[in-house]
Amino acid sequence: MPHDLPKAYDPTAIEDRWAEYWVRENLFAVASPDPNSKDQRLDGESFTILLPPPNVTGRLHMGHMLNQTEMDILTRWRRMSGRRALWLPGTDHAGIATQMMVERQLTSEGTSRQQLGREAFIERVWEWKRHYGGAILDQMKRLGASVDWQREYFTMDERLSVAVREAFVRLHEQGLIYRGAYIVNWCPRCQTAISDLEVVHQEQKGHLWEIRYPVLDANGADSGEFLTVATTRPETMLGDVAVAIHPEDERYLHLHGKKLRLPLMNREIPILLDEWVSRDFGTGAVKVTPAHDPNDFALGERHHLPSINVMDDRAHINAEGGAYAGLDRYVARKKIVADLEEQGLLAGIKDHTSSVGHCDRCKTVVEPRLSTQWFIRIQPLAEKAIAAVKPGADGRKAIRFTPEQYEKTYLNWMENIHDWCISRQLWWGHRIPAWHCAACHKITVARVDPSVCVHCGSVEITQETDVLDTWFSSGLLPVSVFGWPNITAENRADFDAFYPTSLLVTGFDILFFWVARMIMLGCWFAGEIPLPDGSSRSLADSVPFREVYIHALVRDANREKMSKTKGNVIDPIEIVKQYGTDAVRFTLASMASPGTDIAFNVARTEGYRAFANKIWNAAWFLFQNVDRAAEIGVAVDPAALGGMPTVAEDAPLEARWIVAELHATAAKVNESLENYRYDDAANTIYQFFWGSFCDWYLEIVKLRLDFSEAADKVQIKAALTTLVSVFEAALRLLSPFMPFITEEIWYALYDGDPPAKSIALTQYPRAGAESGNSPARNQMIGLQLLIIGIRARRKELGVPEKLSTHIKAAEWAGSHGGSEIVSQHLNIVKKLAQVSGIEFVTAADRLGKYESLMWAVAGPTDVVVEYEAQFDVAAERERLTKDIAKYEKQNANDERQLSDPAFLAKAPAHIVEGKKKQLAENRLLLEKARAALDALPEE
Ligand SMILES: [Zn+2]
Ligand SMILES: [Zn+2]
């Protein structure tokens, strides 16, 4: 029986091969369910999850790797648990990022987007996309993400573009889209409006310039008095239309109703009274520039003031800026300050630190600027999106957040939401389907490109040049990827099967950008689609996903945020090359739990690489024994494989125990994954594989695998069947976490001819109802503690490793039948603890004639390891004294904590219970150590 497994575990040698195989075989493709099909695999409830589409320009970073590992574990687990699991991948056209990337290329070629013209530029971006786009998905393929590649989309695909257009037109028809002048965050580099979310605020040292505005007398001449205003952006004064003061500010009561002369521009401007003005800030007089500040804009609206925009798209002063026209904003600032000083109008310059907005993409200082944009009247959409997250009439939430705290963050934002500015002055993206008429100046919005104005019939119409915000299209993904808006009776199978999706796993940074927009647009548009039976859809069935899991941050080993400036960025691909994907995935999983950031330490990854190696070696041991058994005509019962192993009641202890352990492990892993406790799940499997299976079970089962002449074939077959079936089930249990090594070994276990095309398509282990409570588990613990105790004692005494020793064992009072278990399993104790013979001592003798022996604690018994070598009483005294000090300190700590009401109120019940138990045990150990110290002979 040749098991085709290389001797040494080398992840690079196996991972590429399987990654390619999974993609080539389309193993994770999920067909549209056919209502008439009898394929049982498609009968189950769906588990649908959308990959947050990475930017088409993106490269994989640690955040992706964590996010994708979490998604892949859950998807593989749900799939193996019988759900129709669909993980849907795609990429985002990423308007600004992609346009910038190509523009940079053009610059290096000595040309520009403007020189190329719109059409040629867009063609150029498509070309770029064909060559370099989506590299991040190739990285995902290599990492084994179990997505349905046949459903891969790009947000600019034809069918998704249709959805974008339909959404825009429909919202327009519903009166929810309007065009208006508004203060936007303008990036002079990207030459587009950007949303509040795309602005990064940084504290920056600057100045506060105090400027004297001459007060005019009744004849319009300078009165000799000045009103001093303070500003951080003096260049905006060119667009001032008023100065505002608080109506009750006593310093300025005499100025009510007067006018000022705007310096440099020689424009008469009024003094306004407005309660919004803070008397305490600066001089209490505020210049009003509606075209360049959102607060001033609001003030201007209240007082019906004109808005004078003094800058162009590049933030150069325009013709409205008089003598300063054509100057860059900062050049103009310098000149303005110099001119004011020369005219004696500069009252002072103060150092001032303020929060300055920068473009998230290009880091240019953002210019608040008045411009005409397209907006969504967001209130009606927000109302649904709020209701979807709050408990409904039945007390249930349609969308649940994990960790729960993000629900509050979300609601807080949603309840204070502003209309959404959806237009961007870019070329790359979905162009707004609106046409301006040169004749009647009205706008035609249409599903199909119009040739005439719908209002006047003129042919002189031109399409809007703006494109839609990228998040407008990605916000529609949950509906558009399943066929919306084209949901008809014939083609709604996908929509009915996969919408609402089950779960969204994403980062906090796009909670508002993306998560909130999907909820708004999903509830709005899906809500219009009747259920298959024609009845109307509830909000609970309109939401784009039922659960949102916000993953944590991956930090460096010192818990520092990774950043290029700090130089502590870990490239997941590099780590994968070094240790293998499985080990990196396992590292992330073993630390991932809701709300806890991950301190990524490669030392841990190295440890999990060793874990994989351990499993590999276990497979080798297994295969060798299977092959040797075959030589004497014994084979594993194939029917025992593929399900949950069971064991006969009269089977040896280690067999009953390992099967019970497996069931308990499966129960804990399933429960942990239900609660997004990747860490608990991973650590539980790790403990099982490394501790229970390799360190204990394999060592014991060797005793049963005796292939000599006198071999008991029935016993060998039983032992081998338990060994192989438990190992096979454990591989399945581990498979979502370490898909590559488990696939490789699983194939070898079936000699390359397994019952399914992949271990990922088998059944996930689930515990039987009673199996976790087997008495074998307690019996085995007693045995293990005894063996560990003897080993420790041997070490203390310096017994040479190869030397077996006799021991005396005395059972503790009340440790129910410990010695009975031991005497039944003498061979195990002898083998694992290097014991040549055991003498059982009664409790009376333990306290009587043997009292003066060197008793040590070993689980439920006290033991004496009879080793005749030189016994160092001084060293023993020192050791016991140290132990006593250690227990005393620990007990004092525990006692203090357990009597601290604050600790008891805050700590989880299982921690408190654990501490109590530990304290009780340590008290006993302390007592024993003291007794042993007393019993030491005089030196
Ligand atoms: Zn920018
Ligand atoms: Zn017209």
Side-chain angles (χ1 to χ4, degrees):
M1 223 180 173
H3 294 279
D4 187 17
L5 198 66
K7 181 80 193 154
Y9 167 58
D10 174 11
T12 47
I14 61 172
E15 291 183 354
D16 280 334
R17 181 158 44 81
W18 288 118
E20 222 174 274
Y21 168 79
W22 295 332
V23 174
R24 189 176 67 235
E25 295 289 318
N26 273 312
L27 284 192
F28 308 116
V30 183
S32 303
D34 174 357
N36 306 315
S37 156
K38 288 276 166 272
D39 185 348
Q40 290 215 330
R41 214 164 68 80
L42 298 177
D43 281 351
E45 193 189 335
S46 292
F47 175 80
T48 319
I49 184 164
L50 287 194
L51 171 76
N55 285 353
V56 67
T57 53
R59 284 289 183 281
L60 199 89
H61 57 59
M62 241 352 176
H64 294 128
M65 179 97 194
L66 169 67
N67 171 297
Q68 293 177 10
T69 298
E70 291 181 340
M71 278 186 273
D72 198 36
I73 288 172
L74 292 179
T75 310
R76 285 173 179 270
W77 167 60
R78 292 292 192 191
R79 181 185 296 118
M80 291 176 76
S81 302
R83 301 275 287 269
R84 185 200 291 123
L86 170 63
W87 182 12
L88 209 147
T91 43
D92 193 290
H93 66 278
I96 296 185
T98 314
Q99 177 156 331
M100 266 179 66
M101 183 88 91
V102 177
E103 278 190 84
R104 237 180 272 143
Q105 253 184 7
L106 293 178
T107 308
S108 73
E109 292 164 18
T111 177
S112 71
R113 124 178 106 98
Q114 286 80 2
Q115 268 175 288
L116 238 60
R118 186 162 186 148
E119 242 171 75
F121 176 75
I122 290 173
E123 188 36 54
R124 180 67 193 255
V125 181
W126 277 110
E127 194 187 307
W128 179 91
K129 193 244 166 196
R130 279 191 290 273
H131 282 243
Y132 309 104
I136 192 165
L137 295 189
D138 292 335
Q139 292 178 312
M140 263 185 94
K141 283 177 186 157
R142 169 57 188 80
L143 297 179
S146 69
V147 305
D148 180 351
W149 292 110
Q150 292 192 316
R151 290 179 183 261
E152 181 187 333
Y153 64 81
F154 177 54
T155 48
M156 294 274 281
D157 283 347
E158 179 58 29
R159 69 186 179 98
L160 296 190
S161 301
V162 167
V164 168
R165 186 149 178 178
E166 176 65 26
F168 183 91
V169 175
R170 218 179 271 192
L171 287 170
H172 188 260
E173 287 169 352
Q174 290 164 342
L176 295 176
I177 284 190
Y178 65 94
R179 199 163 171 260
Y182 202 74
I183 293 283
V184 294
N185 305 295
W186 185 268
C187 175
R189 214 300 316 168
C190 300
Q191 294 188 27
T192 178
I194 56 179
S195 81
D196 290 345
L197 297 168
E198 290 162 318
V199 177
V200 188
H201 289 276
Q202 279 168 7
E203 288 290 306
Q204 203 164 302
K205 277 186 189 155
H207 297 102
L208 200 58
W209 285 274
E210 294 178 346
I211 307 169
R212 310 204 294 177
Y213 285 23
V215 178
L216 300 179
D217 63 18
N219 305 319
D222 285 10
S223 66
E225 195 185 350
F226 297 95
L227 182 56
T228 304
V229 301
T231 178
T232 56
R233 289 151 70 213
E235 64 280 9
T236 62
M237 72 177 288
L238 303 176
D240 280 2
V241 295
V243 169
I245 53 176
H246 194 281
E248 284 151 27
D249 192 334
E250 290 180 356
R251 290 170 294 182
Y252 303 128
L253 289 176
H254 65 289
L255 295 179
H256 290 194
K258 299 218 163 156
K259 292 194 166 174
L260 303 168
R261 178 170 60 81
L262 176 64
L264 311 179
M265 299 302 288
N266 287 322
R267 188 156 70 227
E268 247 185 49
I269 57 172
I271 294 174
L272 289 182
L273 307 180
D274 197 291
E275 290 183 346
W276 168 82
V277 178
S278 158
R279 278 171 277 188
D280 310 323
F281 181 76
T283 58
V286 178
K287 63 195 251 348
V288 182
T289 327
H292 292 279
D293 181 278
N295 291 319
D296 293 11
F297 180 74
L299 209 139
E301 295 268 278
R302 279 203 292 284
H303 296 274
H304 309 289
L305 299 173
S307 297
I308 303 174
N309 186 349
V310 296
M311 287 186 209
D312 66 13
D313 291 355
R314 298 166 304 151
H316 286 201
I317 305 299
N318 64 17
E320 296 283 359
Y324 304 92
L327 298 180
D328 167 81
R329 55 183 164 168
Y330 297 125
V331 178
R333 177 181 294 181
K334 269 197 188 139
K335 188 158 191 322
I336 284 167
V337 170
D339 289 351
L340 288 170
E341 185 158 31
E342 199 189 296
Q343 294 177 24
L345 296 175
L346 193 65
I349 305 176
K350 287 185 179 148
D351 287 340
H352 181 74
T353 303
S354 61
S355 163
V356 178
H358 293 73
C359 172
D360 189 25
R361 290 284 162 204
C362 72
K363 312 301 171 213
T364 304
V365 174
V366 160
E367 193 67 37
R369 175 174 179 266
L370 191 69
S371 73
T372 302
Q373 303 285 344
W374 294 83
F375 292 87
I376 296 186
R377 224 179 287 285
I378 208 72
Q379 211 50 46
L381 284 80
E383 277 164 20
K384 279 179 189 276
I386 288 168
V389 171
K390 285 186 169 173
D394 59 355
R396 292 170 61 173
K397 296 167 185 169
I399 300 177
R400 201 171 66 98
F401 277 84
T402 303
E404 212 182 337
Q405 79 213 47
Y406 288 112
E407 187 183 295
K408 215 169 138 196
T409 318
Y410 166 88
L411 285 174
N412 188 39
W413 186 74
M414 201 54 95
E415 278 158 2
N416 294 292
I417 196 167
H418 298 289
D419 282 357
W420 177 11
C421 172
I422 48 170
S423 46
R424 295 290 180 273
Q425 289 64 51
L426 301 174
W427 285 355
W428 176 240
H430 297 101
R431 195 163 170 179
I432 290 179
W435 281 257
H436 302 275
C437 175
C440 74
H441 303 292
K442 287 184 179 166
I443 289 172
T444 302
V445 169
R447 286 179 176 82
V448 178
D449 289 7
S451 49
V452 295
C453 169
V454 288
H455 307 285
C456 73
S458 164
V459 294
E460 278 185 79
I461 54 169
T462 46
Q463 187 172 1
E464 169 64 56
T465 52
D466 289 356
V467 298
L468 287 163
D469 181 5
T470 304
W471 301 101
F472 185 84
S473 54
S474 52
L476 286 166
L477 284 172
V479 288
S480 60
V481 290
F482 298 119
W484 186 86
N486 191 22
I487 306 291
T488 61
E490 295 75 42
N491 65 357
R492 58 178 297 160
D494 270 356
F495 195 85
D496 291 338
F498 303 118
Y499 194 94
T501 66
S502 313
L503 169 69
L504 177 75
V505 179
T506 190
F508 167 73
D509 53 337
I510 50 175
L511 180 62
F512 307 131
F513 274 126
W514 193 46
V515 182
R517 266 87 181 252
M518 281 193 287
I519 298 177
M520 288 192 283
L521 294 172
C523 290
W524 192 257
F525 290 116
E528 297 173 345
I529 304 170
L531 292 170
D533 66 5
S535 63
S536 64
R537 189 176 288 266
S538 69
L539 185 61
D541 287 327
S542 306
V543 295
F545 27 75
R546 302 199 189 275
E547 304 229 348
V548 179
Y549 178 83
I550 303 286
H551 68 70
L553 283 182
V554 185
R555 297 170 177 272
D556 76 2
N558 302 316
R559 301 209 155 272
E560 298 262 348
K561 219 170 160 172
M562 291 191 199
S563 84
K564 277 188 192 143
T565 17
K566 276 189 232 155
N568 62 347
V569 176
I570 299 172
D571 178 355
I573 299 294
E574 282 306 310
I575 303 290
V576 160
K577 271 187 199 153
Q578 233 176 317
Y579 300 102
T581 311
D582 282 336
V584 181
R585 286 172 63 117
F586 208 85
T587 309
L588 292 168
S590 73
M591 289 190 278
S593 71
T596 314
D597 283 352
I598 289 174
F600 192 92
N601 193 337
V602 286
R604 245 181 122 128
T605 313
E606 214 174 313
Y608 292 128
R609 166 83 160 72
F611 175 52
N613 207 46
K614 186 108 179 162
I615 296 167
W616 192 268
N617 293 340
W620 256 89
F621 167 79
L622 214 88
F623 296 162
Q624 277 174 336
N625 282 284
V626 168
D627 294 348
R628 283 175 66 191
E631 285 165 20
I632 59 164
V634 173
V636 175
D637 179 3
L641 301 184
M644 231 11 219
T646 53
V647 70
E649 261 174 50
D650 59 352
L653 174 64
E654 80 279 358
R656 286 179 287 125
W657 168 72
I658 196 68
V659 168
E661 283 295 303
L662 177 72
H663 281 258
T665 302
K668 177 89 169 97
V669 170
N670 280 295
E671 188 204 326
S672 302
L673 289 178
E674 290 284 354
N675 296 306
Y676 305 107
R677 292 304 301 260
Y678 307 94
D679 54 344
D680 285 349
N683 296 327
T684 303
I685 298 178
Y686 180 89
Q687 292 303 336
F688 174 79
F689 239 125
W690 191 301
S692 304
F693 190 82
C694 292
D695 284 354
W696 290 98
Y697 176 67
L698 285 188
E699 291 308 313
I700 298 173
V701 86
K702 281 175 187 169
L703 296 170
R704 316 283 177 206
L705 299 172
D706 161 21
F707 299 101
S708 64
E709 289 283 306
D712 175 347
K713 290 190 182 176
V714 176
Q715 182 193 302
I716 293 181
K717 187 182 175 79
L720 209 61
T721 299
T722 302
L723 171 64
V724 177
S725 63
V726 168
F727 185 70
E728 192 269 351
L731 286 178
R732 282 183 278 127
L733 202 61
L734 178 64
S735 150
F737 299 83
M738 290 190 158
F740 293 99
I741 186 174
T742 50
E743 186 86 297
E744 176 81 12
I745 297 177
W746 185 76
Y747 258 82
L749 191 142
Y750 284 102
D751 269 332
D753 186 21
K757 282 180 116 174
S758 165
I759 190 171
L761 302 179
T762 61
Q763 227 178 53
Y764 202 67
R766 292 227 160 234
E770 294 294 320
S771 325
N773 300 325
S774 163
R777 294 185 75 197
N778 268 332
Q779 294 171 359
M780 189 67 188
I781 288 172
L783 213 52
Q784 286 173 320
L785 289 174
L786 175 74
I787 291 165
I788 292 168
I790 297 170
R791 285 174 180 166
R793 188 60 185 160
R794 283 170 54 92
K795 209 167 168 198
E796 284 161 12
L797 294 174
V799 181
E801 256 183 58
K802 299 277 176 204
L803 185 73
S804 294
T805 50
H806 264 88
I807 63 163
K808 282 189 172 61
E811 195 178 312
W812 284 14
S815 85
H816 317 285
S819 57
E820 199 186 315
I821 295 298
V822 173
S823 51
Q824 280 168 8
H825 298 97
L826 273 183
N827 55 342
I828 297 178
V829 178
K830 283 180 175 174
K831 167 97 187 306
L832 270 62
Q834 293 283 84
V835 168
S836 50
I838 301 184
E839 177 194 342
F840 290 98
V841 171
T842 62
D845 283 349
R846 157 74 179 86
L847 298 170
K849 68 173 173 176
Y850 291 131
E851 202 207 342
S852 62
L853 295 180
M854 301 288 153
W855 290 97
V857 184
T861 49
D862 283 358
V863 294
V864 173
V865 172
E866 293 171 356
Y867 177 52
E868 299 301 330
Q870 287 300 319
F871 181 67
D872 186 345
V873 175
E876 183 68 358
R877 186 182 304 280
E878 195 186 322
R879 186 186 68 80
L880 286 168
T881 310
K882 265 190 200 158
D883 277 2
I884 289 168
K886 183 183 82 185
Y887 291 132
E888 281 173 345
K889 191 175 162 199
Q890 214 170 332
N891 290 357
N893 262 336
D894 289 348
E895 280 159 8
R896 186 178 44 72
Q897 274 197 311
L898 287 169
S899 60
D900 175 5
F903 171 78
L904 293 174
K906 237 171 43 195
H910 73 272
I911 300 273
V912 176
E913 271 319 298
K915 274 218 179 292
K916 280 186 183 162
K917 216 173 140 198
Q918 180 186 307
L919 180 59
E921 274 168 21
N922 283 348
R923 277 177 176 156
L924 208 49
L925 291 171
L926 176 60
E927 210 174 284
K928 281 174 175 287
R930 280 177 178 154
L933 185 64
D934 284 347
L936 279 183
E938 296 296 322
E939 278 171 78

